[in-house]
Amino acid sequence: MPTTALELRDVTLEYRMRRSFFRHSFRRALDGVSFDVEKGETVGIIGGNGSGKSTLLRVLGGIYRPNSGHIACWCENIMMLSLGLGFDPELSGRDNALIGGVLLGGRRREVKQRVDQMIAFAELEEQSKDPVKTYSSGMKARLGFSVALTMEADLLLIDEVLGVGDQAFQQKAKAAMLSRINSEQTVVFVSHSLAMVTQLCNRVVWLERGRVRQQGSAVDIVEAYKIEQQNKT
Amino acid sequence: MKFSTLNDAFWLKLWFSLKSEAAKNYLNYVWWLLEPALHVAVFYFVFGLIFQRGGEGFIAFLLCGQIPYLWFSRTVNNAAGSILGGRGLIQQMAIPTAFFPAVVVGKDALKQTVVFAVLLLFLATQGAQPSWMWLTLPAVVFTQLLLVTGGALLVAAVTPFVPDVRFLIQAGMMMLLFASGIFYDYSELLSEQQQSFFLMNPVANLIVSYRNVLLHGDWPNWPGLFWISMLSGACIMGMLIFYRRAAPVYARLVVE
């Protein structure tokens, strides 16, 4: 049994932008990225805006194919925990939770049994039959988080979702995430919140303009990143 | 994504899309029937009443042409935007891209089943004698389903690469409307040589089969059905292979 969950070697990804009829320009979002994720560990990805964090998460989730490089994955079921999961605004929160759960890999019957749990966690019992178009952005975010959190996966990819909802919900969401992380779940976690990264992650990869600037223990890398940010300002 | 997950997601998405679509309009599911009825009413008004063409049974003649045409045109149009419409999901999970046009095909096919049931009821009550040949109707419908699926997979695949294709589809559908013999009888207007060229249009060919079966109590045009099935089947297989290879490209394409 390999202890490695994910292995990335020299992963490069470019976005192609159309400038005119025949002219295109390219933007390199990831440039020679290499790192490993061991089973059961939580790896944080930090970096400024446009550093390639979300793109990297999509590469790890098999959503984007890189232009070059090598990715090896020993996880059967990868889930990206992000908000809104393509909600249909005309459907109720309950219907959206059901379809969201199925799309995240659950069987219909199994998800149906968990819908009440999802709605309760999102604190949307009273509005569960209303169309999602009547929800505030916070309500939608809570529902998206609850759906994703209720489903199971070998590798969990989390993109900036712990800042969801009000203060009380954030605490609840953080506690739920912590309990999941502590139960041997392999997690790759993208966030701007350095405090949360230090608290949740074993290791951190610092991205800068699509390249790995540094990687190592969470405390050391976050400290180095903070110093760099202070020097910039 | 496992097949069982995909199957569950397909049916749920299909039912929920129908529900969501119906919720947008006051008359909900009534539009499934009202839309083809309105199209036929327009043609009947223009050609039947103003130009005094068609004669007895013109409404049934129009229905047997317009309903299959609308099925093809609606599905191909809806499928064209289906991958871009699904970008929210494509950006968040490794979902097969063919899922999106497939849901459109399934949704429209389900609506069409209801429309065909009402069409048969209408024809039976309007004097068309139900014949044993009506039992061959599923073969014609199935052939059209293959054609619609092939067309939908093709346009859905191309549109994210070249969004301008949508304008061509609109023009193409307009051309198909006039070139499929919906409101005229091709055998009265065209020479024999022109007829064989006309019947190379698969929608026109299918409409001939629909009318043979439903209006004349005759066999469908079997050679036509055979060739349409073969070509559509090949197109579906080819497109599925293409989607399999191009799936990760689409995820990036919808943001580029």
Side-chain angles (χ1 to χ4, degrees):
Chain A
M1 280 279 283
T3 55
T4 310
L6 263 175
E7 187 184 279
L8 273 86
R9 291 290 173 268
D10 288 324
V11 168
T12 297
L13 183 140
E14 284 180 339
Y15 287 117
R16 194 175 77 147
M17 257 88 65
R18 197 175 62 194
R19 294 289 174 220
S20 62
F21 198 78
F22 288 114
R23 282 178 55 221
H24 292 88
S25 65
F26 294 89
R27 189 173 69 79
R28 191 163 279 201
L30 295 176
D31 190 358
V33 173
S34 301
F35 66 89
D36 296 342
V37 178
E38 298 298 319
K39 283 191 175 160
E41 79 169 337
T42 301
V43 173
I45 311 284
I46 59 171
N49 289 326
S51 58
K53 303 186 296 294
S54 297
T55 301
L56 176 61
L57 223 53
R58 291 195 171 104
V59 168
L60 299 181
I63 298 166
Y64 290 173
R65 184 187 292 166
N67 294 72
S68 64
H70 161 81
I71 302 170
C73 179
W74 290 271
C75 300
E76 262 184 39
N77 187 6
I78 304 173
M79 186 167 81
M80 187 149 145
L81 206 165
S82 49
L83 303 172
L85 205 72
F87 282 156
D88 186 330
E90 302 292 333
L91 293 176
S92 68
R94 183 167 283 275
D95 288 349
N96 270 302
L98 178 58
I99 198 158
V102 168
L103 283 167
L104 287 173
R107 293 310 306 268
R108 193 161 63 108
R109 275 189 198 161
E110 171 201 335
V111 179
K112 229 173 181 171
Q113 286 165 354
R114 293 187 187 185
V115 167
D116 284 334
Q117 192 188 335
M118 295 170 183
I119 298 287
F121 190 89
E123 300 165 8
L124 290 169
E125 291 94 336
E126 282 178 30
Q127 299 90 350
S128 70
K129 288 181 181 165
D130 298 343
V132 161
K133 66 182 175 188
T134 63
Y135 288 15
S136 68
S137 53
M139 286 157 83
K140 277 188 256 187
R142 268 161 32 204
L143 183 63
F145 181 83
S146 308
V147 172
L149 192 80
T150 314
M151 304 310 296
E152 280 149 21
D154 299 335
L155 172 63
L156 197 58
L157 307 169
I158 307 172
D159 191 3
E160 282 290 359
V161 288
L162 292 179
V164 164
D166 55 24
Q167 201 67 33
F169 187 81
Q170 280 185 27
Q171 288 298 325
K172 193 165 87 167
K174 198 170 135 188
M177 273 315 307
L178 267 172
S179 96
R180 190 138 181 187
I181 285 168
N182 290 333
S183 63
E184 293 296 297
Q185 172 81 64
T186 311
V187 180
V188 178
F189 177 54
V190 163
S191 181
H192 282 289
S193 166
L194 298 177
M196 212 168 273
V197 169
T198 317
Q199 193 182 354
L200 297 179
C201 303
N202 314 102
R203 275 193 320 116
V204 165
V205 175
W206 172 6
L207 283 185
E208 193 176 71
R209 289 184 200 149
R211 289 167 177 260
V212 175
R213 167 87 183 259
Q214 278 187 46
Q215 54 177 316
S217 85
V219 178
D220 294 347
I221 303 298
V222 167
E223 198 53 41
Y225 182 72
K226 273 183 189 166
I227 292 168
E228 166 96 1
Q229 296 301 304
Q230 278 164 5
N231 290 341
K232 273 186 186 169
T233 52
Chain B
M1 199 176 255
K2 287 180 195 160
F3 178 76
S4 54
T5 301
L6 210 58
N7 188 40
D8 276 1
F10 173 81
W11 289 106
L12 269 180
K13 190 84 182 151
L14 194 152
W15 285 116
F16 285 152
S17 300
L18 286 172
K19 200 171 155 183
S20 151
E21 198 179 279
K24 284 179 196 158
N25 305 306
Y26 285 113
L27 293 178
N28 297 351
Y29 300 103
V30 177
W31 277 111
W32 294 9
L33 300 174
L34 209 54
E35 191 200 3
L38 279 175
H39 279 83
V40 167
V42 169
F43 279 120
Y44 183 72
F45 178 74
V46 175
F47 295 101
L49 298 180
I50 297 181
F51 292 120
Q52 291 290 313
R53 294 181 69 102
E56 205 184 331
F58 188 50
I59 291 184
F61 178 86
L62 276 176
L63 281 168
C64 291
Q66 186 71 15
I67 286 175
Y69 164 79
L70 273 180
W71 179 14
F72 182 81
S73 132
R74 189 197 302 119
T75 307
V76 168
N77 266 316
N78 292 342
S82 62
I83 292 177
L84 287 172
R87 77 181 85 185
L89 282 179
I90 292 174
Q91 284 290 299
Q92 290 179 29
M93 55 178 56
I95 187 167
T97 322
F99 176 82
F100 299 95
V103 169
V104 171
V105 170
K107 194 175 75 173
D108 286 340
L110 211 78
K111 284 185 193 173
Q112 205 60 29
T113 313
V114 177
V115 174
F116 274 127
V118 175
L119 172 68
L120 292 182
L121 212 67
F122 176 85
L123 292 177
T125 55
Q126 291 299 306
Q129 287 294 318
S131 81
W132 287 107
M133 286 301 159
W134 283 24
L135 294 175
T136 61
L137 185 65
V140 187
V141 173
F142 181 72
T143 306
Q144 183 167 5
L145 179 64
L146 290 177
L147 177 70
V148 164
T149 308
L153 289 174
L154 183 69
V155 296
V158 175
T159 313
F161 288 100
V162 192
D164 316 50
V165 164
R166 271 192 250 195
F167 296 104
L168 294 178
I169 292 171
Q170 280 172 14
M173 287 305 155
M174 179 72 84
M175 197 176 147
L176 206 60
L177 175 73
F178 290 102
S180 301
I182 293 167
F183 46 86
Y184 58 88
D185 187 349
Y186 76 101
S187 60
E188 289 175 3
L189 291 177
L190 305 175
S191 68
E192 258 185 43
Q193 199 184 4
Q194 287 170 326
Q195 282 182 24
S196 54
F197 186 67
F198 172 87
L199 289 173
M200 285 167 79
N201 167 3
V203 176
N205 205 308
L206 280 165
I207 289 174
V208 171
S209 282
Y210 278 112
R211 285 184 179 141
N212 279 355
V213 171
L214 295 173
L215 300 181
H216 313 308
D218 206 349
W219 290 104
N221 175 12
W222 291 116
L225 295 189
F226 174 77
W227 284 113
I228 294 169
S229 304
M230 287 296 114
L231 292 174
S232 305
C235 178
I236 293 169
M237 295 303 289
M239 289 318 299
L240 289 179
I241 294 168
F242 173 79
Y243 276 110
R244 207 179 165 85
R245 291 191 176 167
V249 179
Y250 279 110
R252 286 166 58 181
L253 208 64
V254 292
V255 290
E256 281 172 356

